[in-house]
Amino acid sequence: MFSGSMVALVTPLDDTGEVDYASLASLVEYHIAAGTDAIVAVGTTGESATLTVDEHVKVVLKTIEYAKGRIPVIAGTGANATHEAITFSKLFSGSGVAGCLTVTPYYNKPTQEGLYQHFKAIAAATDIPQILYNVPSRTGVDMLPETVARLAKLDNIVGIKDATADLSRVKKTRELCGEDFIQLSGDDATGLDFVVEGGHGVISVTANVAAAEMVTMYKLALSGQFDAAREINERLMPLHEQLFVESNPIPVKWAAHQLGLIKHGTLRLPLTELSEPAQQVVSEALKDANVLL
C-alpha cells in the first residue's frame, strides 16, 4: 500500500508565522512532478507540535485538495494523549486521506503495554489505515518489535515508520509481523540499507529538497539495483547527515527556502532560525549533493 520515497513534508509559514498555503500548493506540485510516492502532511517534520488543531486539520485537508488524487496523502495524527490522537483520526474520516501516521506518545514514557493500549484504542476508533511511528530519540520511548507484532494483528494497523536506525529490526519485525506488514525507514542516513534488508521504503526529510533523486534511488533499490542506488545515496549522504545539524525541521526549512521551494523559512517558537555556522554546513551539503550549484 505504501512504498518507495515518501516525503515528511515541511509546513511553510509566511513571515508573520501564519501558514503559507500558496507555498504549500507549490510544494505539492513539486512532489507530484518529481514522482514522490506519498506525502505525509503535518507529521513531526511538519511542525505538528506548534500548529493549532484547526491549522493542523486545514493543512492536511488543503494538501489533499491540492493533490487532486494525483499522489496519496498521509495525515500526521500523533499526540501524547490518546484521546487527542483519536480526535485527529476521526477528523480525517471521509477526507480522502490515504492513511494516518501516529507517533508514539512523547514525554509520558508509557510502558510497552501502554503503547499497545494507546494504538489499539486509536485503531478501534477509525477505519483509516494506521502507520505506527517509532522515533525514540525524539519521544523518549522505544516501541519494541514484540509490541509492534501485537499491534500488527489489528486489521487497520498496516505498517511502521522506524526511525531507530537499528537495521536488525527489519528482519525481526518481518519475522514477527509477516511479509505484508509495511516497514518504512524514518532515518535517511540508513534508509537505503533498510530497504536492502527488506524494508519497503522511506518517509524522508531529504526528499523535501531532493525529491527526484530520492524517487530514483528507491525505485532502483526496490527493483534490486542496489549498486546504482548506492551511487545516488553516496552523493546525497551529506544531506542525510547535515539536515540534522540542528533540530529537524530547522535545517530543511532553511534549505527549502534557499532553493526557492518555499517563500520563507519561518519556524514557530521554540524553534529558531538556522544559525550562521550551520547555514554554511547545510549550504555545503546541498552543493556536495549537486542540489545547490
Side-chain angles (χ1 to χ4, degrees):
M1 184 183 298
F2 303 110
S3 65
S5 177
M6 290 161 278
V7 62
L9 196 70
V10 297
T11 299
L13 305 175
D14 65 22
D15 56 358
T16 70
E18 298 301 310
V19 177
D20 178 357
Y21 288 101
S23 287
L24 178 62
S26 295
L27 284 178
V28 172
E29 294 301 326
Y30 166 71
H31 284 286
I32 290 170
T36 298
D37 291 291
I39 291 172
V40 174
V42 200
T44 47
T45 298
E47 296 177 80
S48 56
T50 53
L51 296 185
T52 67
V53 172
D54 287 346
E55 288 173 327
H56 187 135
V57 172
K58 185 175 179 180
V59 170
V60 172
L61 295 180
K62 282 291 186 181
T63 304
I64 295 168
E65 176 187 325
Y66 299 147
K68 298 177 182 176
R70 295 171 292 169
I71 184 172
V73 176
I74 299 164
T77 53
N80 63 344
T82 306
H83 67 83
E84 185 177 343
I86 288 172
T87 296
F88 275 125
S89 296
K90 286 183 175 179
L91 285 170
F92 296 123
S93 179
S95 67
V97 74
C100 292
L101 177 69
T102 307
V103 70
T104 54
Y106 43 88
Y107 188 81
N108 310 45
K109 297 188 75 171
T111 63
Q112 296 301 306
E113 182 62 25
L115 290 170
Y116 173 75
Q117 294 296 339
H118 172 78
F119 287 108
K120 179 183 178 184
I122 296 167
T126 179
D127 58 1
I128 300 173
Q130 300 288 308
I131 303 170
L132 312 172
Y133 180 16
N134 189 33
V135 54
S137 65
R138 297 291 290 251
T139 63
V141 62
D142 184 9
M143 183 163 51
L144 300 178
E146 291 78 9
T147 303
V148 175
R150 293 178 68 193
L151 289 165
K153 295 175 182 177
L154 303 177
D155 287 343
N156 58 334
I157 294 181
V158 299
I160 185 169
K161 176 184 177 183
D162 184 329
T164 63
D166 181 355
L167 296 174
S168 69
R169 290 200 177 187
V170 183
K171 180 180 178 182
K172 186 168 187 178
T173 300
R174 184 170 62 249
E175 290 172 347
L176 291 170
C177 301
E179 296 283 346
D180 293 336
F181 189 72
I182 300 164
Q183 295 193 64
L184 305 169
S185 172
D187 178 66
D188 278 309
T190 58
L192 178 59
D193 289 327
F194 188 96
V195 169
V196 171
E197 292 296 316
H200 299 91
V202 65
I203 296 177
S204 168
V205 173
T206 299
N208 277 285
V209 294
E213 293 88 341
M214 291 290 287
V215 167
T216 299
M217 182 172 77
Y218 280 95
K219 283 187 183 300
L220 289 167
L222 289 168
S223 65
Q225 300 178 68
F226 298 129
D227 289 343
R230 288 191 191 284
E231 289 182 12
I232 298 172
N233 198 49
E234 287 175 10
R235 177 163 56 83
L236 294 178
M237 189 57 71
L239 278 180
H240 297 336
E241 295 173 344
Q242 302 307 340
L243 287 178
F244 293 88
V245 66
E246 291 182 2
S247 297
N248 181 51
I250 294 173
V252 72
K253 288 193 87 172
W254 182 87
H257 173 55
Q258 295 301 303
L259 294 172
L261 296 171
I262 56 178
K263 191 172 182 181
H264 301 279
T266 310
L267 302 115
R268 283 187 179 169
L269 289 172
L271 298 183
T272 52
E273 66 180 90
L274 191 65
S275 66
E276 288 190 14
Q279 288 178 20
Q280 183 62 35
V281 169
V282 175
S283 180
E284 289 300 320
L286 288 167
K287 291 176 182 176
D288 290 344
N290 292 332
V291 174
L292 179 63
L293 301 178

